[in-house]
Amino acid sequence: MAGHAYVPDSQTESSTTDTGMGSAGFLLRKEACSPMHSQVCRLFPVKVSGYCVIFSLVFIKVPVAIGGTASGEPCIFPFLFQEKEYSECTTEGRGDGRLWSVNGSRLTKHRILNSSVYSYLYLLLHYRLYDRLLKVAEMGHAKAMEKVAYAMLFGDYLPQSIPQAKEIFEKLALEGSPKAQTALGFLYAAGLGVNSSQAKALVYYTFGALGGNLVAHMILGYRYWGGVGVPQSCESALTHYRLVANHVASDVSLTGGSAVQRIRLLDEVESPGSSSGMLEEDLIQYYQFLAEKGDVQAQVGLGQLHLHGGRGVEQNHQRAYEYFNQAANAGNTHAMAFLGKMYSEGSEYVAQNNDTALHYFKKAADLGNPVGQSGLGMAYLYGRGVPVNYDLALKYFQKAAEQGWVDGQLQLGTMYYNGIGVKRDYKQALKFFNLASQAGHILAFYNLAQMHATGTGVMRSCHTAVELFKNVCERGRWSERLMAAYGSFKEGDMDSALVQYLLLSEQGYEVAQSNVAFILDQSESIFNENETYPRALLHWTRAAAQGYTVARIKLGDYHFYGYGTDVDYETAVIHYRLASEQQHSAQAMFNLGYMHEKGLGIKQDIHLAKRFYDMAAEASPDAQVPVFLALCKLGLIYALEYLQDLNLKDLLSQVDLDQLLGPEWDLYLMTVIALLLGTVIAYRQRQHQAVPRAPPAPPRPPAQPEQPAGEPEEQ
């Protein structure tokens, strides 16, 4: 069965929800309350628009998914799809003939009319389900034990307890569980609940990878790429990353999958919302208001947000379909094309239908829309609803690519790479893959990585291939943990956020490495106080190695002030210089100017200090004010040093005024002084005469005698 198992929403008011509980399935139905359901309604007295919510827990032995990024996850039966109940894997709703089912790899949140009620139910159900899951785990069910252990490790719906999680992982590891072996490798690598041991971590990671765990492969790929605990080996890194990238790329759909949010906590704290790309709730509601009022652009924008997810909006194909449908009815070609994509791909809400997809693609393509043209090209390329016609496919892809549409560029590259309908041309393939990669298409990165790994059409470059495969791997389903960690951080649960970011850091996510260092730098953590700065230094080092400028500057600061290491001005200069030369950092240039000024770790040189200050001002407008102040101070210091270098007494004694100005120089000097004094006096007198005198003040009226108290005034 296919590993890409997902949870299909019903188009009526019945749906299934994947709990991610291993073999514990959860069925959610909305039905009118009846005497038969009265007991349940009393237990859960929450009604949604006249309905009560019925809960059914099913614990059964089920098969597991094979292949894809959900490999090894248990399938959940029964499940509902389009008002029909399935008790085994099915091909319904897919056009590629692959079997699918609901499994625990993804959690789909469904839209209910009252979102606040849903949020309450969602949390309530998960706490109750994990309570049941604990009981199943106590009976020795391996998958349930894995879920419970990870929940305890991260604090997901269960109290965070690293020692208990470690105990469960050790039991599972002895039974050969790859997930547990990978988790133990993580604990030893991070020093969580155990003494840190990179050797033991490597052993457990290796066993996890041999068992087929993709996270373990990704971690080993990063370790061999960066030389973390192992000798640096590009070829070994390539082997591990390519294996993971193959699985990730096989799960990428025509719509491109969900977006990955990479939020830096440092930027978020300094400028909330400026760097994360997250949309404020008020702004989302404003767009929703505009969409309800018939604003077509708002409808299309919200449709795309819900189709791909990201920027604080969860992926929701039902909402995407509704918005696109409204905009398409108003004549928007983009909405028509995206409806075609949804029908062509199929989803939990929209059943796959080639004829309907073709209808929307043609309608949009006839009006010149590049998304529709690309979709029509896909139909002719793969024979979806029409006979295969490579010439027409090439024609429509070229039209879409000319308008800069990424799917058209990607498919043109694929046709040239495989020689489909055209003569095989690797240079053209490389050109179009590069264009598509500039728009961030994951399959473009994957194809470029394959070309660089094999030397097809380009000089073979292991380093470039690894970087591209790494980019693909970081778009896998585990990237959802980034938002989960950020959510924990926003809720103030620093320990949970730290552990989640630590795991992502092990997988090579640079943003996670910098976030780990930031949390350790800013607040108390689960580590001892004397371990905090050395650990932060380690993660700043890893983030800097991946090109993060702020991390490089932080390394300079740590060595300058002696945080987590000895004070070492020479090493600080090296880091500041790297940040200055490689990333043109204004902060690094300013710091180098200061160190040249003071002679810290480098030869004191006021001229070089001024040069670096000037470079900092040119690199960033924000640096101009501090640079101005630094230059003023530098000028004053230079003047004082110059005067100190001059011996004024000796200089004056060597000056012969009689020889320089003549024997009567004193008379000349007195004459000049007298003239200057006369000029000043004359100028002051003229200025005094020019000022008009003020008119005399009018006579004040005589003072009125005071009125005796209690005597009325005359009117």
Side-chain angles (χ1 to χ4, degrees):
M1 67 192 69
H4 181 63
Y6 52 85
V7 186
D9 281 336
S10 169
Q11 295 184 9
T12 64
E13 291 182 320
S14 294
S15 62
T16 56
T17 301
D18 182 2
T19 63
M21 288 178 48
S23 63
F26 169 62
L27 187 63
L28 170 63
R29 291 198 183 105
K30 288 170 56 183
E31 301 177 11
C33 292
S34 65
M36 183 176 66
H37 298 143
S38 59
Q39 181 67 26
V40 179
C41 289
R42 280 198 296 272
L43 290 173
F44 299 95
V46 180
K47 296 187 179 181
V48 182
S49 301
Y51 295 89
C52 70
V53 183
I54 311 301
F55 306 102
S56 172
L57 287 169
V58 183
F59 292 93
I60 55 176
K61 284 190 175 182
V62 294
V64 297
I66 300 172
T69 58
S71 182
E73 293 287 347
C75 302
I76 297 174
F77 304 108
F79 62 89
L80 294 179
F81 178 57
Q82 296 184 352
E83 302 183 87
K84 184 178 178 181
E85 186 173 291
Y86 293 86
S87 58
E88 59 183 4
C89 297
T90 180
T91 59
E92 293 295 325
R94 293 186 68 95
D96 54 11
R98 294 171 65 185
L99 290 167
W100 66 273
S101 72
V102 173
N103 68 22
S105 65
R106 284 168 61 180
L107 175 67
T108 304
K109 297 183 181 179
H110 297 278
R111 181 190 178 203
I112 295 183
L113 297 177
N114 190 327
S115 60
S116 61
V117 171
Y118 175 70
S119 299
Y120 167 76
L121 290 176
Y122 178 75
L123 292 172
L124 173 66
L125 290 173
H126 273 75
Y127 282 115
R128 291 179 63 86
L129 290 171
Y130 270 95
D131 184 56
R132 295 287 188 94
L133 192 61
L134 279 168
K135 295 177 181 178
V136 177
E138 288 172 359
M139 294 187 291
H141 191 283
K143 292 295 181 183
M145 290 173 70
E146 288 176 358
K147 295 288 182 182
V148 167
Y150 272 101
M152 288 179 173
L153 178 63
F154 298 130
D156 288 343
Y157 304 105
L158 290 175
Q160 189 175 25
S161 176
I162 295 174
Q164 290 184 19
K166 171 180 169 287
E167 185 179 344
I168 297 173
F169 285 137
E170 286 175 338
K171 290 179 181 178
L172 290 170
L174 291 174
E175 298 173 4
S177 167
K179 280 189 175 181
Q181 291 163 343
T182 303
L184 280 177
F186 165 62
L187 293 179
Y188 277 105
L192 291 169
V194 295
N195 293 326
S196 180
S197 171
Q198 298 304 320
K200 288 184 178 181
L202 183 62
V203 170
Y204 281 115
Y205 284 147
T206 303
F207 278 116
L210 291 172
N213 186 270
L214 296 179
V215 172
H217 276 292
M218 191 172 171
I219 291 172
L220 287 175
Y222 171 69
R223 287 189 160 234
Y224 280 110
W225 181 62
V228 179
V230 293
Q232 195 169 18
S233 171
C234 183
E235 294 299 332
S236 297
L238 180 62
T239 300
H240 290 288
Y241 272 131
R242 178 188 271 173
L243 187 148
V244 180
N246 290 341
H247 285 273
V248 174
S250 68
D251 280 352
V252 176
S253 63
L254 179 64
T255 56
S258 59
V260 178
Q261 293 291 127
R262 300 172 188 261
I263 301 174
R264 295 190 189 279
L265 300 183
L266 176 63
D267 297 340
E268 183 70 8
V269 169
E270 292 180 352
S271 304
S274 62
S275 62
S276 66
M278 302 283 285
L279 293 175
E280 296 288 341
E281 182 65 28
D282 292 343
L283 187 58
I284 295 173
Q285 290 180 1
Y286 173 68
Y287 286 138
Q288 290 173 341
F289 172 77
L290 291 178
E292 289 171 2
K293 293 295 182 182
D295 188 306
V296 175
Q297 294 302 321
Q299 291 167 350
V300 174
L302 286 171
Q304 288 179 294
L305 276 175
H306 283 95
L307 179 63
H308 301 293
R311 304 195 67 185
V313 179
E314 291 179 1
Q315 192 175 28
N316 187 322
H317 285 180
Q318 179 180 348
R319 298 295 298 276
Y321 177 83
E322 291 170 356
Y323 284 123
F324 285 142
N325 197 41
Q326 293 173 19
N329 291 336
N332 185 275
T333 57
H334 249 67
M336 296 175 193
F338 276 104
L339 280 175
K341 289 183 75 170
M342 292 188 74
Y343 276 108
S344 176
E345 185 68 24
S347 68
E348 64 266 27
Y349 181 74
V350 179
Q352 201 277 338
N353 190 313
N354 287 329
D355 293 334
T356 308
L358 194 63
H359 165 74
Y360 281 113
F361 283 145
K362 279 184 176 179
K363 202 171 180 181
D366 290 343
L367 295 172
N369 184 275
V371 186
Q373 292 167 345
S374 177
L376 208 53
M378 292 288 289
Y380 283 112
L381 180 63
Y382 295 106
R384 298 176 180 173
V386 291
V388 173
N389 189 321
Y390 295 140
D391 292 336
L392 284 176
L394 182 67
K395 170 188 171 184
Y396 283 114
F397 287 143
Q398 286 173 335
K399 286 185 176 182
E402 287 170 1
Q403 297 188 62
W405 181 240
V406 60
D407 286 342
Q409 296 165 344
L410 177 70
Q411 296 304 327
L412 270 181
T414 303
M415 293 186 76
Y416 279 111
Y417 183 85
N418 295 313
I420 301 174
V422 292
K423 184 180 178 181
R424 181 169 292 178
D425 189 335
Y426 292 130
K427 288 186 178 180
Q428 285 293 320
L430 185 68
K431 168 189 170 183
F432 286 112
F433 286 150
N434 276 321
L435 287 172
S437 69
Q438 291 172 13
H441 201 295
I442 185 172
L443 291 180
F445 287 119
Y446 177 76
N447 292 332
L448 284 172
Q450 292 285 21
M451 294 182 75
H452 283 283
T454 57
T456 304
V458 291
M459 287 289 292
R460 186 180 186 275
S461 172
C462 177
H463 183 79
T464 303
V466 167
E467 288 189 335
L468 290 167
F469 276 134
K470 181 176 182 290
N471 192 311
V472 175
C473 294
E474 291 181 357
R475 302 278 288 274
R477 58 186 172 84
W478 35 80
S479 64
E480 296 171 3
R481 180 64 62 184
L482 283 169
M483 284 307 296
Y486 176 69
S488 298
F489 175 80
K490 293 291 284 184
E491 292 169 4
D493 191 352
M494 296 301 173
D495 289 347
S496 176
L498 180 60
V499 173
Q500 293 179 81
Y501 278 131
L502 276 168
L503 178 57
L504 293 164
S505 169
E506 281 290 297
Q507 292 177 247
Y509 286 87
E510 177 271 309
V511 69
Q513 293 166 349
S514 60
N515 286 349
V516 167
F518 174 79
I519 293 175
L520 292 172
D521 205 8
Q522 297 293 317
S523 61
E524 296 182 359
S525 68
I526 52 181
F527 298 112
N528 295 330
E529 186 176 351
N530 59 347
E531 296 181 6
T532 301
Y533 280 128
R535 288 177 180 274
L537 179 65
L538 171 66
H539 286 87
W540 284 129
T541 303
R542 292 182 180 179
Q546 297 199 59
Y548 183 36
T549 306
V550 174
R552 182 66 66 186
I553 295 172
K554 284 284 187 180
L555 287 178
D557 294 344
Y558 270 51
H559 285 93
F560 184 91
Y561 294 108
Y563 295 156
T565 183
D566 296 330
V567 173
D568 188 342
Y569 295 134
E570 288 81 4
T571 304
V573 167
I574 291 172
H575 288 298
Y576 291 143
R577 195 178 297 281
L578 285 172
S580 170
E581 294 174 354
Q582 296 177 359
Q583 285 103 16
H584 306 288
S585 167
Q587 180 68 59
M589 294 172 186
F590 186 90
N591 293 350
L592 282 172
Y594 178 80
M595 298 187 80
H596 271 293
E597 177 187 333
K598 298 294 184 181
L600 300 173
I602 200 169
K603 182 181 178 181
Q604 188 174 24
D605 191 326
I606 292 178
H607 300 288
L608 275 177
K610 182 180 184 304
R611 178 185 173 189
F612 277 108
Y613 284 142
D614 290 337
M615 289 169 60
E618 292 175 3
S620 172
D622 295 336
Q624 291 179 357
V625 173
V627 164
F628 172 75
L629 296 175
L631 288 176
C632 289
K633 185 185 74 169
L634 195 64
L636 180 61
I637 293 172
Y638 180 77
L640 291 174
E641 288 182 354
Y642 180 76
L643 292 175
Q644 286 177 355
D645 292 339
L646 292 175
N647 194 329
L648 293 179
K649 186 179 290 186
D650 293 343
L651 184 65
L652 291 174
S653 64
Q654 294 175 5
V655 176
D656 187 354
L657 295 178
D658 290 340
Q659 185 178 0
L660 183 65
L661 299 176
E664 299 177 350
W665 64 269
D666 52 344
L667 294 177
Y668 300 148
L669 180 60
M670 292 174 62
T671 303
V672 170
I673 293 174
L675 289 173
L676 287 174
L677 183 61
T679 303
V680 171
I681 293 171
Y683 176 76
R684 292 295 300 274
Q685 285 179 345
R686 289 185 61 185
Q687 193 176 35
H688 182 70
Q689 293 173 357
V691 176
R693 291 185 179 181
R700 300 179 66 181
Q704 295 293 331
E706 292 185 4
Q707 191 72 21
E711 191 174 323
E713 296 182 0
E714 293 183 4
Q715 300 294 327

